Every structure is written in C-alpha cells, then in structure tokens.
C-alpha cells in the first residue's frame, strides 16, 4: 500500500478548509471568512466555518463537531486562531483545552491584536504549529479584511457597465439597459460580498438607483446567502443635492452621506451617518474618506458611479479591482465615457491594469483587472 504524502495531505485538508470558509463570504462581515478542518490520522473528524460576526468562530464549530476525537488531532485553519477576547472567547484557548496536537495555519492574522500572538500561544502550550500552507489562496479569500488591517482602508472594486466602444450612456444620459439581465444578475453576487456600495450624487440624481442586492435578480446557479446582509449605501454629496425622496432611502439598509460641510442633515430615518471628508480645496477627500470607512469596519467597498468619481479613484490609486461588464452595443463618439480623468503626460505614466479574468456572461463579457506596475 502506497504511503500518503504528508505534505499532499496538508494541502488537501487546507483546500477543504478554504472551501468551508467560502460559505461565510457574504455573512461574516466585518469579520474575515474562516474555515477549519480537524483530522485524526487521515480521518476528518470535525469541520466548521465562521457564520456571522458575534457567533462562534470556525475552530469552535469544528471542535464541537469533533468532540472527544479532537484530542491528539490536527487542526487546519485558514487564518491564525485568535488570541484575544472580542465578541467571542479566544480560539487558541479552545484548541489547547481540546488537546489538539498540531495546528496548520494558512496565514498569519493581519490584525495587530492577533498577528503572531495566537501562534506563539499555541507553541507555548506544546502544540506543533505550521504556517503558510496555501497562504496565497487564504489571502485572496479576505482581501478587504487584510486591506483594512494593513492599509487602513477598504479594498475597492470599481464596477462599470459599458458598450463595446466603452460608453456608459447615450449623450442625453440614457443608459438602461446597456448590459443584459444576465450581467445584472451576476452583479448581485458581487454586491452581496461588499460591506458597502459607493456612488455619487450625480448617479443618484440621474438613475435613482436603490443600490441593494436584488433577490429577484439573484443568479440561479448560486445559493442565496442566509442571512442576506444588505450593504451600507454611501453617497458622495458635496453639494447637498440628494434629497430624502431618492429611492436609495426606500430600503431599510443604512445610507451614509459624505459631504465637505455639515449643512442641513437628512431627516430620513435610513440616513444613519454623515461623514465629513474635505480636502484643502473644499472637495471631498477620497483618501480621508477611505480612512473613515475603515474606522467604521468597512472591508470591501463596491463602487457604482459616474465617470468623474471613477477617474478620481483610479488617479488617486484607490481602485484595487476593475470589473467591467461589456455589451455588444455601439453608442458612437457622442456617447458618455466610462472614465473621466486627466490625460497622462505620456504612455509610460498612464495608469496600467493587468487583466486577470475574462469570461462570458450571457451575451456580455465580464473583464476583471487589477493595478499593474511595471518593473
């Protein structure tokens, strides 16, 4: 009988833990999605994932599933077990008390309150700890949480819907619908992963969107998250143009207004926050806004906005991912551009993105790109 390769088995079990973690991608915020698998020998005796903030972490669910079989077992965790008391007790203590012999960690926790402390506590208790198994896959699972902890700002996706010639609307502003119902359904899945959706007053006034996750448009191929958390809607309104009649206030999900001066506050019960973020020129400071959002535990920010805000996010290097849905329509040179920004002095200084994914969505194409810097 062929002996099982220990390294292969570690990878196999961590892959299983990562698959479990993905079940919480749309429900754990502001916490990261985490999965855990417990094995005794080559037998899986327990597994679990973090469901919601304030509820038990992945390790606790897995330990409960394993019961007495956790003693002498190996735990595979996608993120370093916590060592501090937050809304739940430290997972390190639970693993130690259960008698786990070995812990395999995909990545160290970027949270300064944890970073390395959990690993040290486990080792001090005589538990063998291995770190870095499928680390890249674990990091890609929670980009927003990592960004908030290491850069003090959310991870920002700029979503755009365009014609084949990169226009977002006719010259008179009509844009419904450039892309297909398949694309609009696909968008719901990504909206649901975001903590907040950012837009500008111009988009609210022109399109009067709700900026919610639409259950009636949810893709049939994907399970609906339970519970479904509606993202916070954040509207940049420096000129105080958005009024309480806008449809964005129709949903009970909170609305946060961003302004440069307090002015007259919104009286709508769904307007929960007024954020003041001004630069020296009297305009909204996007970097300052990002810090404010991080302080409010916003991990992932999904952006649906006009050309001016899109250009500003790109030029100020605040866009972490472009997601462009492109239809087969041609709107001509009078159509409205998707991005409005200053022309670069030369091609070498132009913002550059690397296309990492392109796929068909119904009759449209979805292109995903990330910032790319040349060596």
């Amino acid at each position: 009988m062929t002996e099982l390769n220990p390294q292969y088995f570690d990878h196999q079990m961590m892959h299983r833990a990562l698959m479990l973690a993905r079940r919480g991608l749309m429900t754990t915020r502001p916490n990261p999605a985490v999965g855990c698998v417990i094995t005794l020998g080559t037998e899986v005796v327990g597994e679990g994932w973090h469901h919601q903030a304030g509820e038990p972490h992945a390790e606790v669910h897995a330990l409960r599933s394993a019961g007495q079989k956790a003693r002498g077992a190996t735990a595979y965790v996608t993120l370093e077990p916590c060592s501090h008391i937050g809304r739940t007790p430290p997972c390190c203590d639970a693993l130690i008390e259960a008698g786990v012999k070995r812990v395999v960690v995909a990545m160290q926790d970027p949270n300064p309150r944890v970073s390395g402390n959990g690993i040290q506590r486990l080792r001090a208790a005589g538990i063998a700890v291995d770190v870095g198994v499928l680390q890249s896959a674990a990091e890609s699972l929670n980009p927003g949480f990592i960004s908030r902890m290491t850069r003090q700002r959310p991870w920002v996706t700029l979503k755009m819907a365009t014609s084949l010639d990169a226009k977002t609307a006719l010259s008179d502003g009509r844009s419904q619908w450039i892309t297909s119902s398949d694309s609009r359904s696909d968008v719901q899945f990504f909206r649901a992963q975001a903590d907040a959706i950012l837009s500008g007053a111009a988009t609210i006034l022109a399109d009067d969107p709700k900026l919610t996750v639409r259950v009636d448009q949810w893709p049939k191929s994907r399970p609906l998250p339970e519970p479904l958390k509606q993202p916070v809607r954040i509207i940049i309104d420096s000129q105080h143009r958005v009024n309480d009649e806008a449809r964005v206030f129709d949903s009970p999900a909170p609305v946060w207004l961003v302004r440069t001066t307090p002015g007259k506050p919104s009286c709508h019960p769904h307007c929960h926050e007024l954020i003041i973020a001004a630069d020296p020129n009297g305009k909204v400071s996007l970097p300052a806004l990002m810090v404010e959002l991080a302080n409010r535990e916003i991990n992932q920010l999904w952006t649906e906005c006009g050309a001016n805000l899109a250009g500003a996010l790109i030029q100020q290097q605040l866009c972490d991912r472009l997601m462009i849905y492109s239809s087969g329509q041609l709107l001509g040179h009078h159509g409205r551009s998707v991005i409005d920004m200053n022309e670069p002095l030369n091609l070498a200084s132009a913002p550059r993105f690397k296309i990492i994914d392109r796929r068909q969505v119904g009759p449209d194409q979805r292109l995903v790109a990330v910032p790319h810097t040349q060596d």
Side-chain angles (χ1 to χ4, degrees), residues 37-316:
V37 172
I38 297 176
T39 65
L40 191 60
T42 58
E43 178 191 2
V44 174
V45 295
E47 57 185 24
W49 69 94
H50 185 37
H51 297 185
Q52 294 186 68
E55 293 188 1
H57 290 184
E59 298 93 323
V60 174
H61 283 295
L63 288 170
R64 288 175 179 173
S65 175
Q68 291 301 314
K69 290 185 178 181
R71 188 160 299 278
T74 297
Y76 296 86
V77 193
T78 60
L79 185 69
E80 176 183 0
C82 62
S83 57
H84 66 286
I85 298 177
R87 282 178 273 195
T88 58
C91 291
C92 280
D93 293 352
L95 291 166
I96 293 168
E97 290 170 7
V100 169
K101 182 180 179 181
R102 178 176 176 242
V103 176
V104 182
V105 178
M107 63 171 287
Q108 187 170 303
D109 195 329
N111 186 345
R113 298 175 64 188
V114 179
S115 191
N117 295 329
I119 294 168
Q120 290 179 10
R121 183 180 292 188
L122 291 171
R123 286 174 174 162
I127 297 174
V129 182
D130 294 315
V131 184
V133 176
L134 300 187
Q135 180 172 326
S136 295
E139 290 172 344
S140 67
L141 194 65
N142 294 295
F145 179 75
I146 295 172
S147 177
R148 178 164 66 90
M149 291 298 164
T150 60
R151 303 188 297 177
Q152 289 73 55
R153 75 166 180 84
W155 192 71
V156 180
T157 297
L158 179 54
K159 172 262 178 183
M160 292 174 282
T162 76
S163 62
L164 193 59
D165 51 350
K167 305 297 182 181
T168 61
L170 297 173
S171 59
D172 61 5
R174 284 178 292 165
S175 62
Q176 295 181 337
W177 297 102
I178 286 181
T179 52
S180 66
S181 59
D182 298 271
S183 289
R184 297 194 294 277
S185 177
D186 194 63
V187 163
Q188 307 310 314
F189 175 72
F190 294 101
R191 279 184 176 181
Q193 295 179 44
D195 301 75
I197 299 176
L198 175 69
S199 193
T203 298
I204 300 300
L205 295 173
D207 299 336
D208 199 18
K210 287 187 176 181
L211 298 177
T212 56
V213 178
R214 302 282 298 270
V215 175
D216 60 330
Q217 292 182 0
W218 188 261
K220 295 179 181 178
S221 61
R222 299 185 184 275
L224 189 68
E226 183 63 41
L228 175 63
K229 286 188 173 183
Q230 289 289 353
V232 174
R233 282 78 51 76
I234 303 171
I235 311 301
I236 294 179
D237 183 28
S238 58
Q239 299 179 38
H240 302 203
R241 293 187 292 166
V242 175
N243 62 57
D244 290 349
E245 300 302 316
R247 289 206 312 157
V248 73
F249 292 109
D250 288 351
S251 167
V255 176
W256 298 352
L257 295 178
V258 182
R259 294 174 174 170
T260 55
T261 58
K264 183 180 179 181
S266 169
C267 297
H268 203 285
H270 295 159
C271 184
H272 290 187
E273 295 275 353
L274 180 61
I275 300 173
I276 307 300
D279 65 16
N281 298 317
K283 296 182 178 181
V284 168
S285 169
L286 292 176
L289 172 60
M290 295 301 159
V291 172
E292 288 291 334
L293 296 184
N295 290 338
R296 288 165 169 79
E297 297 189 316
I298 300 297
N299 291 330
Q300 289 205 47
L301 185 63
W302 177 265
T303 306
E304 298 186 22
C305 61
N308 289 332
L309 180 53
L313 288 167
I314 291 173
Q315 286 194 301
Q316 296 181 43

Side-chain angles (χ1 to χ4, degrees), residues 15-35:
H15 176 73
R16 183 166 179 160
L18 288 164
M19 294 296 289
L20 288 167
R22 290 189 180 95
R23 298 187 185 183
L25 276 176
M26 290 175 261
T27 59
T28 63
R29 60 180 183 259
N31 288 358
V34 181

